[in-house]
Amino acid sequence: MSRLLYENSVSYQGYLIIPFVFGKADNYEIYSYKLLSEIGRKSTFHKAENPAEIYGSSIDNIVDIAKEHIDQHSDFVSHGDSFRSRYLYGNNLIIIYQEGGKYFYDHYPPELLNNIAAPKLFNSEYECLSWIKQGLNGQYMRQRAI
């Protein structure tokens, strides 16, 4: 599996659709997708890989396939967009959340849909992003020094 194409992710009906290149056939890329759910593990599709079991010929095609599957099989109704504050930094996906005047985040690396965020609260979205960026820059510098 190639890295997750977070830059092409689409928020839809309480899910984040994240495409990736599944493979190649005759020099054509075949696309698949993974899902995140705003209700987390309470959804059967949280962190699911291609629950529609249909592959696409382009990013737009696979996103449409995922949307159709969500429309037909979603196990909850969303009342907002939990994924509107999402950012990319070094191919990492950062999703910022606000609750009770405090900010926290989820952090997903480029190849895995595993949240590696530290359990930390912040007073602003800017403070949260700055802390994450500093941590990722420090990690990058440590990796280059090895």
Side-chain angles (χ1 to χ4, degrees), residues 28-66:
Y28 292 99
E29 292 180 328
I30 300 167
Y31 291 90
S32 187
Y33 67 97
K34 291 191 175 196
L35 294 173
L36 284 179
S37 166
E38 71 180 25
I39 63 170
R41 292 188 302 251
K42 294 176 189 169
S43 170
T44 56
F45 297 130
H46 184 61
K47 294 187 178 183
E49 183 173 327
N50 198 342
E53 298 180 350
I54 301 171
Y55 297 86
S57 58
S58 69
I59 290 172
D60 289 340
N61 178 240
I62 198 64
V63 168
D64 288 343
I65 289 167

Side-chain angles (χ1 to χ4, degrees), residues 89-118:
Y89 191 75
N91 293 326
N92 290 265
L93 174 65
I94 312 299
I95 304 169
I96 307 291
Y97 303 98
Q98 179 187 10
E99 190 173 302
K102 295 291 183 182
Y103 294 80
F104 59 100
Y105 70 99
D106 286 345
H107 171 193
Y108 297 93
E111 297 84 21
L112 299 170
L113 210 51
N114 290 337
N115 184 5
I116 57 174

